[in-house]
Amino acid sequence: MSGAFAGERAVVIGLGVAGASAARVLAAEGADVIVSEVRAETALAAELRSEGIEVADGGHAPEHLDGATVVVVSPGVPPGAPLLAWAAERGLPVWGEMELGARLVRVPYLAVTGTNGKTTVTGMLAACLQAAGIDAVSCGNIGNPFPAAARADHDALVVEVSSFQLAVQSSFHPVVSVLLNLAPDHLDWHRSFDAYRDAKARVFALQGPGDVHVGNRDDEAASALSAEAPCDVRWFTLAEPGPDGAGFVDGRLVAGWSGAELATIR
C-alpha cells in the first residue's frame, strides 16, 4: 500500500476521538496500525476492528509495541503513562496528533492556543477566512482532528491546539500563531507552571521570517511569553494600540499601524 506512512508499524495510545482519527489516518496513509486502549469492549473499538484496524483493549501491555516504528499518543494521556516509558526504553519516536498532522498538511494553517477562549477565537478566524472567500475550516482540539483535516481538500486550516498537544510535537509550524492568555492550568499533567508555559511556547517555536505571532498586550504572563516569538509579533489590547497592534479608541476597534477603524462596538 502507498502513502506517507507505508511500511510503518504505528501504535496509537488511547482510543478517543483523536486516537480513532489518528488510527484511521495512519491506516489510510499505508501504516500497519494497532491501538492500545485501557477500556474494554467499546463501540469505537468495534468500529475500528470492522475497518481492519487492530485494537488491543482492556489495558496497555509492553507487547503492544512489538514491531513498532512510531508511537502516536492521544491528548490527555499523561507523560508518566507506562506505555510511554516502554516506548522510550525501545527508542521509539513518540508523536502527538499535532505532529502527525504537521507531517501531512499541505496548506497554510493558523494556530490558536491559550488558557481560555481558544474555541471561540478558532471559530471566529475560520469564519473570517470563509467570509474572504477562502475555503478554511477549524480543526484540532475543537472536535475535528488536525490529521484528518490535513488530508482533506481545503485552502487553509485554523487549528485549536492545547498544551497537551503542543508538548508532544516537533514539526508544528503555523504561518500565524495566537496566544490568547496564560494562567496556571493542567498542572497535574505538566507538573509545573514553567512546564505548562514551555508547552505553550512551542506554538511559535518553528516560526521565523515571514510568519506572524499574535499576543495579548494586556496579559502580563502571556505578553512576556509572546515577546519571545522568533518572528514578527503583533498585539491586541483593550486599550489604545501601539503601532504594532490593534486596540480600542472611543469604542472603535482600530489598527495602530494605520489608525484605520476596523469596527465600531455598539
Side-chain angles (χ1 to χ4, degrees):
M1 181 183 290
S2 62
F5 300 111
E8 300 284 351
R9 170 68 168 173
V11 179
V12 177
I13 304 177
L15 185 55
V17 172
S21 177
R24 287 172 169 137
V25 165
L26 286 160
E29 290 289 339
D32 178 24
V33 182
I34 177 174
V35 180
S36 181
E37 167 61 28
V38 171
R39 296 170 298 168
E41 301 301 325
T42 65
L44 195 48
E47 286 181 23
L48 291 186
R49 289 191 180 106
S50 71
E51 297 167 21
I53 296 173
E54 183 180 357
V55 179
D57 54 6
H60 302 309
E63 55 265 29
H64 295 171
L65 298 172
D66 290 350
T69 56
V70 64
V71 174
V72 178
V73 60
S74 299
V77 173
L83 201 56
L84 294 179
W86 300 331
E89 290 171 1
R90 299 186 186 207
L92 295 173
V94 177
W95 301 346
E97 64 171 317
M98 293 300 115
E99 180 68 17
L100 178 57
R103 288 172 179 259
L104 293 171
V105 69
R106 297 292 181 267
V107 298
Y109 55 99
L110 293 70
V112 180
T113 195
T115 303
N116 298 298
K118 296 185 293 295
T119 299
T120 299
V121 174
T122 299
M124 179 191 72
L125 292 177
C128 289
L129 292 173
Q130 292 162 7
I134 297 171
D135 176 13
V137 297
S138 56
C139 60
N141 201 45
I142 203 167
N144 176 21
F146 179 41
R151 297 186 73 244
D153 186 18
H154 299 292
D155 296 332
L157 303 175
V158 185
V159 189
E160 178 185 328
V161 57
S162 71
S163 58
F164 303 149
Q165 295 165 322
L166 286 168
V168 283
Q169 60 77 31
S170 58
S171 303
F172 192 69
H173 183 172
V175 294
V176 178
S177 65
V178 183
L179 176 62
L180 296 173
N181 40 54
L182 190 65
D185 199 15
H186 302 305
L187 301 191
D188 55 336
W189 196 95
H190 291 282
R191 304 300 183 189
S192 70
F193 179 69
D194 286 344
Y196 174 67
R197 179 186 186 277
D198 290 346
K200 290 297 190 185
R202 299 186 73 173
V203 75
F204 55 64
L206 295 184
Q207 291 190 285
D211 297 326
V212 175
H213 174 72
V214 179
N216 181 352
R217 183 74 81 186
D218 300 337
D219 185 308
E220 183 177 354
S223 62
L225 184 57
S226 290
E228 299 175 9
C231 60
D232 189 19
V233 179
R234 298 296 184 186
W235 301 94
F236 65 90
T237 175
L238 293 178
E240 183 174 350
D244 53 358
F248 288 90
V249 176
D250 297 328
R252 297 178 298 121
L253 177 62
V254 299
W257 57 88
S258 67
E261 180 175 328
L262 303 177
T264 299
I265 308 303
R266 301 185 186 281

